[in-house]
Amino acid sequence: MPTIWGQRVGHAIVPYGKYQEDLADLPEGCRLRIKLDKDRNGKFSSLFHLMLGKLAKAINRGPAQTNIDALKQWVKLKKGWYDAVPLPQPAPDGTSHAIVFRSTNFASMGEEDFHAFCTDACELIRAELAPWVSSAPEWPEIRQIIASITPEAA
């Protein structure tokens, strides 16, 4: 069975247009199991990555060099957004665990948690990694992006 996404309208659940065709194959009156889960606004994810790109550009104006992926991994490491997975056997250098970063994808993180993660990422980078970004020309736009990634902005 496919996953069908939709939205609540009154007391009904209306599937998004691209999923309505999936329902056409089901007989009228058939019973369905519905798992309720709040969908996250896709625009917010795009804005987060745009913000990280601007942060990377601001950081690269200073004494450091970085990119979006390195920033995401650094924030996840600092925020504990990872799992330590035991290796089948210790590595030659004695390492016994590997770090696997958790995903911030739609299935792993709801909208409110995502907003908190985005805000924390921006503030953490400014406070601990690159304090000079707050004087970079990109900073006002970065703050504006953070303000727009709120659950109320949907």
Side-chain angles (χ1 to χ4, degrees):
M1 269 296 178
T3 298
I4 297 174
W5 294 90
Q7 66 185 42
R8 179 179 174 252
V9 178
H11 291 290
I13 297 174
V14 179
Y16 294 148
K18 69 180 185 178
Y19 295 104
Q20 289 178 357
E21 199 171 291
D22 293 334
L23 292 176
D25 297 335
L26 298 173
E28 187 72 31
C30 76
R31 294 172 44 145
L32 302 173
R33 179 174 299 173
I34 298 172
K35 178 186 172 205
L36 296 178
D37 191 11
K38 289 184 181 177
D39 194 12
R40 199 167 85 200
N41 189 328
K43 177 179 91 171
F44 294 167
S45 186
S46 297
L47 286 170
F48 175 62
H49 287 88
L50 176 66
M51 179 202 72
L52 285 178
K54 292 190 177 298
L55 276 168
K57 185 175 180 181
I59 289 169
N60 293 340
R61 290 181 187 279
Q65 293 294 304
T66 193
N67 60 47
I68 291 172
D69 291 329
L71 284 176
K72 283 196 306 190
Q73 287 183 349
W74 184 81
V75 169
K76 288 178 180 183
L77 190 63
K78 294 294 281 186
K79 298 295 292 172
W81 195 253
Y82 63 89
D83 294 310
V85 178
L87 297 174
Q89 62 184 24
D93 66 357
T95 303
S96 61
H97 287 75
I99 296 218
V100 177
F101 292 104
R102 293 182 196 146
S103 176
T104 57
N105 70 20
F106 288 50
S108 302
M109 186 180 275
E111 201 153 300
E112 290 176 12
D113 291 336
F114 183 71
H115 173 65
F117 182 81
C118 294
T119 303
D120 289 351
C122 183
E123 290 304 317
L124 186 64
I125 290 167
R126 184 198 55 76
E128 293 188 24
L129 181 66
W132 63 88
V133 298
S134 58
S135 60
E138 293 84 6
W139 188 249
E141 190 173 3
I142 290 167
R143 296 303 301 154
Q144 184 179 13
I145 291 170
I146 284 294
S148 71
I149 305 176
T150 61
E152 296 82 33

